[in-house]
Amino acid sequence: VSSRPTIGIFDSGFGGLTVMRSLLALVPDANYVYLGDTARLPYGSKSRETIARYAVDSLRFLESQGAELFVVACNTASALALDALEAEAKIPVIGVIEPGASAARAARNEAMQEAAATDLTSDGVLVLATEATVQSHAYARACAAHGLRAFEKACPLLVPLVEEGWIDHPVTEEVARIYLAEALVQAGAQNIIPHTILLGCTHYPLLQDLFECVLLKHFADHDPMSILDSAEATAQRVKQLVAERFSSTSTTSTTEPTQKFFATDSVEKFQRLGSRFLGCPIAYVQHVDLGG
Ligand code: DGL
């Protein structure tokens, strides 16, 4: 038995490459097959039925490519289609929502220790995500299971801004400021005082620096808030699963691990924009047609 698993990663587009980036750092000795369903993106504005159908198509494709684990990098698909995927899958399925919520819990525990449990009583999390993810309340449920109260805010303008490459643009900064200001007022009205901002969308990790800067400039009066993303937490979860399932019966492989990329729309665009999300060049992308 080889020690090297084949990990399938699925997203509505190239945003999920932020999850792959975290995975490559934590689980470098694995073969990766990535599918970006770019022809049917965005998922964030679609219905549960449509998203589930698309996600199951992608699962079948990645299983046919030899995937032994299915990582749902897309927050929207994790929020709306995890049940459907688990029912259909022959391999373990890992979504990003539960790892994200569990990372928020860990961040709160850490902050409480630092504050010596004196002045930090907040159990609030601000989740920024797509419209469909927010409507599903999947993050609120996952956070509640960890004893946290989430306020979920849809930020529909951020995905197109990131895709435009405007990750440190004044327009994006202003949009982020407005979303945060609205969210904090709306959360406050429900007595939710966030200690953590959870970036619940594949595209938002690219805005981490911009959010830090907006918090410093415009929200210095607010209690300190840490910014987390689900990508890193999901990679940790995959690492754990790989260690449990693949390492004990292994022999060391002498070949280099492989990476394959598939997109359902333009491979040229995937290559160009995807490199930004992955943090390194993507040599080759293959086109695949999964139907309408
Ligand atoms: N991948 C989606 C997510 O993480 C964002 C892009 C889309 O709406 O398809 O929610």
Side-chain angles (χ1 to χ4, degrees):
V1 182
S2 166
S3 60
R4 190 175 286 153
T6 297
I7 300 177
I9 306 176
F10 149 67
D11 181 39
S12 56
F14 24 76
L17 292 166
T18 53
V19 175
M20 181 161 172
R21 183 183 194 155
S22 298
L23 269 168
L24 285 172
L26 284 180
V27 191
D29 195 25
N31 296 321
Y32 286 94
V33 194
Y34 183 99
L35 171 66
D37 191 9
T38 41
R40 305 191 286 194
L41 164 143
Y43 281 17
S45 52
K46 295 198 168 71
S47 70
R48 181 183 295 273
E49 291 68 29
T50 302
I51 293 165
R53 181 161 56 85
Y54 289 176
V56 168
D57 289 346
S58 300
L59 164 73
R60 296 218 170 100
F61 174 74
L62 286 176
E63 281 181 337
S64 79
Q65 290 294 312
E68 296 163 281
L69 275 183
F70 186 68
V71 180
V72 190
C74 180
N75 286 257
T76 305
S78 295
L80 288 111
L82 205 65
D83 293 355
L85 287 166
E86 282 170 344
E88 293 288 327
K90 300 185 197 76
I91 55 178
V93 176
I94 299 180
V96 289
I97 307 282
E98 160 45 38
S102 138
R105 173 78 222 181
R108 176 172 187 253
N109 288 352
E110 221 170 274
M112 282 185 82
Q113 271 168 9
E114 270 170 31
T118 48
D119 54 354
L120 192 108
T121 51
S122 164
D123 58 359
V125 179
L126 173 58
V127 180
L128 308 180
T130 63
E131 191 66 56
T133 301
V134 167
Q135 290 301 327
S136 76
H137 297 302
Y139 267 111
R141 282 193 300 277
C143 285
H146 285 281
L148 301 171
R149 290 197 307 148
F151 182 82
E152 299 156 290
K153 175 78 177 166
C155 305
L157 294 175
L158 294 182
V159 165
L161 286 167
V162 171
E163 290 196 356
E164 198 56 38
W166 288 17
I167 57 174
D168 53 5
H169 194 285
V171 167
T172 314
E173 188 177 323
E174 183 58 4
V175 169
R177 185 194 66 75
I178 294 170
Y179 280 142
L180 279 180
E182 283 179 5
L184 292 174
V185 170
Q186 291 158 352
Q190 296 178 20
N191 282 324
I192 298 177
I193 315 293
H195 56 79
T196 298
I197 297 176
L198 186 52
L199 305 180
C201 173
T202 46
H203 289 54
Y204 303 173
L206 273 82
L207 298 175
Q208 169 110 17
D209 290 349
L210 181 132
F211 274 116
E212 305 272 10
C213 165
V214 169
L215 285 184
L216 260 168
K217 265 204 220 163
H218 303 283
F219 299 93
D221 293 350
H222 194 280
D223 289 351
M225 288 180 278
S226 55
I227 303 179
L228 288 183
D229 71 68
S230 298
E232 181 62 31
T234 303
Q236 292 283 358
R237 190 64 61 91
V238 173
K239 184 180 176 182
Q240 226 175 20
L241 199 73
V242 165
E244 284 162 20
R245 296 213 176 201
F246 294 89
S247 293
S248 53
T249 53
S250 66
T251 57
T252 310
S253 184
T254 49
T255 53
E256 285 296 306
T258 58
Q259 291 174 13
K260 286 188 195 163
F261 299 91
F262 293 91
T264 55
D265 197 6
S266 159
V267 292
E268 182 278 322
K269 188 173 178 199
F270 185 98
Q271 219 168 352
R272 188 163 37 84
L273 290 183
S275 308
R276 193 185 297 152
F277 287 78
L278 189 61
C280 61
I282 296 174
Y284 180 59
V285 184
Q286 299 174 63
H287 180 261
V288 56
D289 190 352
L290 295 182

